[in-house]
Amino acid sequence: MLSSFRLLLLRNPSSSYRSLSLLKNQAYVDGKWVPSTSCETFAVHNPVDNAIITQVPDMTIEDTALAITSAKSAFHSFRKTTAKERSDLLRCWYNLMVQHSEELAEILTKENGKSLAESRAEIKYGNSFVEWFSEESRRINGEILQAPLRNRKLMILKQPIGVAALITPWNFPHAMITRKAGAAIAAGCTCIIKPSEDTPLTALALAKLAEDAGFPAGVINVITTSLKNSATVGKLLCESPDVRALSFTGSTPVGKILYEQCASTVKRISLELGGNAPFIIFEKSNVDLAVTGAMACKFRNTGQTCVSANRFYVHNKKFDEFIDKFMERISKDIKMGDGSREGVTHGPLIKSSQVDTVEKLVNDAVKKGAKLHCGGKRLEDLGPLFFAPTILTDVDETMEICGKEIFGPVAVIHRFDDEDEVVRMANSVPVGLAGYFYSEDLSQIFRVAGKLEVGMIGVNEGLISCAEAAFGGVKESGIGREGSSHGVEDFLDIKYLCIGNIQY
């Protein structure tokens, strides 16, 4: 029987799919492309029109156990590689990612829906982590300590922790893998990657490039699962004693479940969870700069990022000016549609449940008295999952949208007068991933930066993440940091070595 992918080519021979040599429809375990042992598959859809791109294996806990065995076996030899060998391997993987950047971007756009411009930016951003960790692998050093006794030598060794399970989301299917896997491999760990059921094709494309780069069998494994099997597969990765580290990016409720499941094996865990980022515009700010930052920070990936500006707080004296200029930029700069088409800047939301949630929140707010400045509705002429860029003001605590992480193209904008008041509002939620504020008052910049309860802050800047910086949050936004020199720490054990009775 012909796969749905081949049928699509026969029906549409001009399709750009013909050039996508990295589009794989099998899982990758122990250096082999394999189906599920159950022979079951699930469809991967293009969110623009819900068309099926291809089918991929629906891996079970039996398949996952095989992947764990593969990664554990590979670790015994891979842990002995030198930092230079791992650096070269990562560099080769990076070079292939750069070489195939356009194809990776096309696959990403097909399964995620974001525009090609945004996909290209993500590929470049995601590639940078592999480049960074190819260099960082050679900077994982131990320590020589000053001994309290003359006949002793004390040292600290840093060693790879073991098999690492990496559970990644759909909103950045390339960058979330490279940011985790680059660090794990640099440390000398082997990996089992479980991508989102919505966007597994990018993960499989990265596995193909890792295979081409010469990664030993079992060092990188990719298991694809439908929503039906996702929870049981995730539970096995958490509870298996052969998996020694788990890194997850996703929602706070799911992160809490995984955290609890990892307790049985006292596993090293890294969690990058939900955010609800405040975006504050103070009286002494450049409104034009703030609007530019708000456009990037709020509407990137159609508002579906964990660091998206979610709660806008604008000083009364800047409020009307900001609203007017923000609306003008939305009207001028945003063109929604099929992300693969020229000139389109923003695509659909990822699934129907997300559109339903956003619509419900907006309708509830408007019904209860919020002012709708623009948007507020589905764009069904574009497709089933499009929602118009929306601005709401006069939102109060009676409305469900107030203080909620929206994960859509909706900006809720509040007024404020007092610095202490707005900091209190910004800190009023249980999460603390990112925060943004605009001010040209140097004293205020340092005051507010010190008070905001978040792990990352953009001051007069709306896009802040890069490979060199530590990415992560505080409170219920997670544990650990990704990227930067700190990114390898979750994949390393520290071993203290005391050599005594040395004769001089």
Side-chain angles (χ1 to χ4, degrees):
M1 181 180 291
L2 286 172
S3 70
S4 57
F5 168 56
R6 290 195 178 96
L7 284 171
L8 178 62
L9 296 187
L10 291 173
R11 292 169 184 165
N12 183 14
S14 64
S15 169
S16 62
Y17 282 115
R18 287 183 301 150
S19 64
L20 300 183
S21 62
L22 297 180
L23 190 63
K24 308 295 290 185
N25 60 5
Q26 289 188 306
Y28 188 67
V29 176
D30 198 24
K32 303 179 186 69
W33 294 98
V34 296
S36 169
T37 53
S38 69
C39 295
E40 292 189 3
T41 63
F42 66 96
V44 182
H45 296 269
N46 185 331
V48 168
D49 55 9
N50 208 35
I52 294 176
I53 303 170
T54 189
Q55 302 271 347
V56 296
D58 194 359
M59 307 299 268
T60 64
I61 55 173
E62 290 77 19
D63 298 305
T64 306
L66 292 173
I68 292 172
T69 299
S70 166
K72 182 181 178 182
S73 176
F75 178 67
H76 292 308
S77 56
F78 193 66
R79 68 181 301 174
K80 300 173 186 176
T81 55
T82 67
K84 176 65 164 61
E85 288 169 332
R86 297 194 298 276
S87 176
D88 289 345
L89 201 58
L90 286 167
R91 171 60 67 167
C92 186
W93 196 25
Y94 164 75
N95 288 339
L96 287 172
M97 288 181 194
V98 173
Q99 180 182 336
H100 292 273
S101 288
E102 187 63 19
E103 187 173 348
L104 288 169
E106 290 176 15
I107 291 172
L108 201 162
T109 289
K110 288 294 180 187
E111 65 175 348
N112 172 277
K114 65 178 65 174
S115 70
L116 265 176
E118 284 203 44
S119 292
R120 288 169 182 142
E122 181 185 338
I123 300 302
K124 185 176 181 179
Y125 168 68
N127 291 352
S128 73
F129 286 100
V130 177
E131 179 186 35
W132 170 263
F133 286 115
S134 74
E135 298 162 350
E136 196 65 21
S137 64
R138 302 184 72 177
R139 295 191 284 265
I140 300 174
N141 299 311
E143 302 173 44
I144 302 296
L145 309 177
Q146 295 299 316
L149 301 175
R150 292 183 181 182
N151 66 344
R152 289 185 181 178
K153 291 293 183 183
L154 311 181
M155 61 189 72
I156 288 176
L157 307 178
K158 294 184 179 180
Q159 298 180 321
I161 195 169
V163 176
L166 314 177
I167 302 178
T168 59
W170 51 263
N171 56 346
F172 288 93
H174 178 90
M176 297 302 96
I177 289 174
T178 56
R179 195 160 74 185
K180 297 176 189 295
I185 292 162
C189 295
T190 55
C191 303
I192 301 164
I193 300 168
K194 179 192 170 304
S196 166
E197 67 276 4
D198 295 309
T199 55
L201 302 180
T202 299
L204 295 174
L206 290 174
K208 177 63 172 72
L209 293 179
E211 180 183 48
D212 293 346
F215 276 71
V219 172
I220 289 182
N221 304 272
V222 178
I223 51 175
T224 55
T225 63
S226 71
L227 193 59
K228 177 183 72 173
N229 288 327
S230 186
T232 54
V233 165
K235 189 171 188 286
L236 177 60
L237 292 173
C238 289
E239 295 182 349
S240 170
D242 292 329
V243 176
R244 293 309 312 146
L246 182 133
S247 180
F248 168 75
T249 296
S251 72
T252 296
V254 174
K256 289 180 178 180
I257 293 170
L258 299 179
Y259 198 3
E260 184 177 1
Q261 291 174 347
C262 284
S264 63
T265 54
V266 196
K267 205 179 306 297
R268 186 79 60 83
I269 189 164
S270 173
L271 301 173
E272 193 264 283
L273 306 177
N276 197 339
F279 191 104
I280 306 169
I281 301 168
F282 287 103
E283 180 181 1
K284 296 179 180 178
S285 65
N286 182 321
V287 172
D288 291 327
L289 198 63
V291 169
T292 297
M295 288 294 296
C297 190
K298 172 71 259 184
F299 295 114
R300 185 168 58 129
N301 199 18
T302 318
Q304 301 173 109
T305 86
C306 53
V307 293
S308 284
N310 202 62
R311 298 169 293 140
F312 286 81
Y313 301 102
V314 185
H315 193 278
N316 252 321
K317 293 184 179 179
K318 299 286 187 177
F319 190 85
D320 292 335
E321 180 186 2
F322 177 77
I323 293 287
D324 290 343
K325 290 183 175 180
F326 198 22
M327 288 183 61
E328 182 182 355
R329 286 288 297 276
I330 289 171
S331 175
K332 176 184 174 185
D333 292 355
I334 293 181
K335 180 180 179 182
M336 304 193 77
D338 182 343
S340 65
R341 294 182 179 174
E342 190 71 27
V344 169
T345 61
H346 293 75
L349 298 182
I350 190 65
K351 60 180 74 174
S352 59
S353 59
Q354 187 61 25
V355 184
D356 293 343
T357 297
V358 172
E359 183 179 50
K360 179 175 177 290
L361 290 171
V362 171
N363 288 346
D364 173 76
V366 172
K367 182 179 178 181
K368 293 177 179 176
K371 182 177 180 180
L372 179 66
H373 293 260
C374 64
K377 60 182 180 181
R378 297 174 186 249
L379 300 176
E380 294 180 338
D381 56 322
L382 297 178
L385 303 181
F386 287 86
F387 198 88
T390 300
I391 293 179
L392 291 172
T393 60
D394 299 333
V395 169
D396 61 39
E397 293 180 355
T398 67
M399 302 169 190
E400 190 180 350
I401 201 169
C402 186
K404 188 177 184 67
E405 185 181 22
I406 303 166
F407 240 63
V410 180
V412 176
I413 306 176
H414 308 272
R415 299 174 183 266
F416 78 93
D417 288 300
D418 178 71
E419 179 183 304
D420 289 337
E421 170 200 9
V422 76
V423 169
R424 179 188 60 77
M425 290 189 293
N427 291 339
S428 65
V429 295
V431 293
L433 187 58
Y436 310 86
F437 68 89
Y438 282 72
S439 173
E440 296 187 337
D441 181 332
L442 186 60
S443 295
Q444 184 175 59
I445 286 172
F446 281 98
R447 276 198 314 272
V448 174
K451 293 176 182 177
L452 285 180
E453 297 172 356
V454 295
M456 301 174 286
I457 297 177
V459 181
N460 298 324
E461 180 56 63
L463 294 176
I464 60 176
S465 181
C466 60
E468 294 82 358
F471 191 102
V474 299
K475 300 197 288 189
E476 292 186 16
S477 282
I479 301 168
R481 293 295 181 269
E482 295 183 336
S484 80
S485 60
H486 301 285
V488 296
E489 293 174 3
D490 287 320
F491 303 103
L492 292 169
D493 277 331
I494 290 178
K495 181 180 288 184
Y496 160 55
L497 182 61
C498 173
I499 304 174
N501 294 297
I502 297 172
Q503 303 300 315
Y504 289 97

